Amino acid sequence: IRNHEGDYRCPDETVTRMLAEKIEESRDSNILHHFTFEDLDLASFSRYRNHFKSTKPDHPWNGEDHLEFLRLIGGWRRERETGNAGLTAAGLLMFGRYPEIREAFPFFMLDYQERPEARADSRWVDRVTPDGTWSGNLFDFYQIVIQRLVRDLKVPFRLTGDTRVDESPVHEALREALVNTLIHADYTGRASVLVVKRPDMFGFRNPGGLRLPVELAIQGGHTDCRNRLLQGMFRHVG
């Protein structure tokens, strides 16, 4: 890699990521062989289906059984060339149990920290990590963390027609930032997904570099999602 005044050897992890992202348009669509529906947390998956049904009560997918519904949203796939079928990476990351997710993604880690002071070294007063009290998957992490992020936010009185709107632009921005953190992460990377809430800021970090030039990312209107199936799964439930 060329870095200003010289050329340097890339770390192995950087080379592996570059090769993988050249081959795979979406990093979450590959089939995880020897993983089955039993590796999912059924309670998480059922909560997702309930959200889907409340968001789209008349959708024809609501009448499908669990496995077919999982296939339709991208969590289960069959390879036409080989006939192999199984969970996709997206299906396991979104709905799996933490020990099973770590089998496929050894460095997978989700971390939310609430810190009482505007300092990087401040100790946390509230934290969410996979500790055995919840599933440890992306869907449940989102559900838990979004509630903590928007807690204590002021909501100015606002009407749309005759209906009061109980969200502010900050609520919308936090929801967007949290979803983007999860769908653009490289879950083969060694860094954790980290979300921080402090009196002076909200911070979001995920493993994996930008897939777009920085100039285009800042300009906006351009996207190259690393995990397109995860993106679709979040979009399906609004």
Side-chain angles (χ1 to χ4, degrees):
I1 185 169
R2 176 153 294 176
N3 185 9
H4 300 295
E5 72 281 357
D7 294 344
Y8 301 90
R9 292 178 64 85
C10 281
D12 289 346
E13 182 180 349
T14 303
V15 175
T16 301
R17 179 178 295 132
M18 286 194 297
L19 292 173
E21 295 197 347
K22 183 170 181 61
I23 296 169
E24 301 167 346
E25 279 293 309
S26 180
R27 297 294 304 278
D28 61 350
S29 60
N30 56 305
I31 293 175
L32 302 174
H33 300 290
H34 311 299
F35 284 82
T36 69
F37 189 84
E38 283 66 41
D39 293 309
L40 302 186
D41 184 84
L42 188 57
S44 298
F45 184 63
S46 297
R47 281 192 291 273
Y48 179 91
R49 291 208 67 171
N50 288 336
H51 274 277
F52 184 96
K53 189 171 184 177
S54 64
T55 305
K56 304 174 180 179
D58 299 322
H59 201 288
W61 293 358
N62 288 321
E64 303 290 352
D65 63 32
H66 278 346
L67 191 59
E68 178 60 10
F69 180 84
L70 186 64
R71 185 188 73 82
L72 290 167
I73 64 171
W76 183 275
R77 190 166 69 83
R78 180 181 299 278
E79 290 177 341
R80 292 189 180 274
E81 299 85 356
T82 64
N84 293 330
L87 277 179
T88 62
L92 185 67
L93 288 165
M94 191 72 159
F95 306 117
R97 295 188 296 262
Y98 182 65
E100 283 74 13
I101 296 174
R102 286 293 295 264
E103 287 183 43
F105 301 93
F107 304 113
F108 178 84
M109 182 63 180
L110 304 172
D111 194 1
Y112 166 82
Q113 297 180 22
E114 186 169 338
R115 302 174 186 169
E117 301 174 50
R119 291 170 28 216
D121 59 349
S122 177
R123 293 182 61 83
W124 53 266
V125 293
D126 186 17
R127 191 177 189 187
V128 177
T129 59
D131 58 1
T133 60
W134 59 287
S135 66
N137 60 43
L138 297 185
F139 181 65
D140 284 347
F141 183 74
Y142 173 85
Q143 294 289 107
I144 296 168
V145 169
I146 194 63
Q147 298 301 321
R148 284 166 163 77
L149 284 175
V150 302
R151 187 169 54 195
D152 308 324
L153 284 183
K154 299 292 187 286
V155 182
F157 183 80
R158 184 160 60 98
L159 292 177
T160 299
D162 296 328
T163 305
R164 177 171 179 175
V165 179
D166 290 324
E167 281 196 345
S168 69
V170 180
H171 288 78
E172 297 174 12
L174 289 173
R175 186 165 57 241
E176 181 87 2
L178 180 56
V179 169
N180 279 338
T181 300
L182 299 178
I183 67 175
H184 290 289
D186 179 359
Y187 292 103
T188 64
R190 293 175 181 269
S192 66
V193 167
L194 176 63
V195 180
V196 175
K197 179 180 179 179
R198 293 190 341 206
D200 63 323
M201 60 162 271
F202 297 96
F204 300 85
R205 180 193 76 189
N206 59 12
L210 280 171
R211 285 162 59 112
L212 290 170
V214 174
E215 297 77 16
L216 287 181
I218 293 174
Q219 178 182 329
H222 305 273
T223 184
D224 184 7
C225 187
R226 179 171 275 115
N227 300 294
R228 295 178 187 175
L229 293 181
L230 287 175
Q231 184 182 37
M233 288 176 181
F234 277 108
R235 186 187 297 120
H236 284 312
V237 289

